Amino acid sequence: MAYNRGRMTYHRRKVCRFCADSSIAIDYKDSRMLRYFTTERGKIIPRRISGNCAKHQRILTVAIKRARNIALLPFTTSTIR
């Protein structure tokens, strides 16, 4: 048998922070908030990890891309080889 005996695994459902608190606005000028949704390398954190709903993840992605274009967020980290 390949399952855990007597142990039930419980995965807590992630809640979209923007749906839970409607006072939080997604704005491309708020680089401190957008930095939370990017990795150290500058990649956008996917929806399944961040817990955002699809609607807010799309808005967040556009905001991060706009912030990158006007140099508020980096595209990547500078790595010297």
Side-chain angles (χ1 to χ4, degrees):
M1 291 185 227
Y3 59 88
N4 294 335
R5 293 180 190 221
R7 291 188 182 159
M8 295 289 291
T9 56
Y10 176 72
H11 296 286
R12 185 167 183 262
R13 177 83 175 128
K14 293 180 182 176
V15 178
C16 176
R17 66 161 42 177
F18 302 107
C19 288
D21 188 8
S22 61
S23 66
I24 302 173
I26 301 173
D27 189 19
Y28 69 94
K29 293 172 276 194
D30 189 5
S31 61
R32 192 179 313 147
M33 190 266 298
L34 295 178
R35 209 173 284 271
Y36 179 77
F37 295 100
T38 58
T39 62
E40 307 85 43
R41 303 291 302 252
K43 294 182 173 184
I44 299 172
I45 294 178
R47 191 180 147 229
R48 68 178 185 273
I49 296 173
S50 66
N52 293 330
C53 66
K55 174 186 169 185
H56 288 111
Q57 183 70 22
R58 285 192 301 268
I59 297 169
L60 188 70
T61 301
V62 170
I64 289 172
K65 289 178 181 180
R66 285 180 181 166
R68 284 175 176 167
N69 281 330
I70 61 171
L72 294 177
L73 288 176
F75 280 97
T76 58
T77 57
S78 60
T79 56
I80 301 171
R81 290 186 179 190

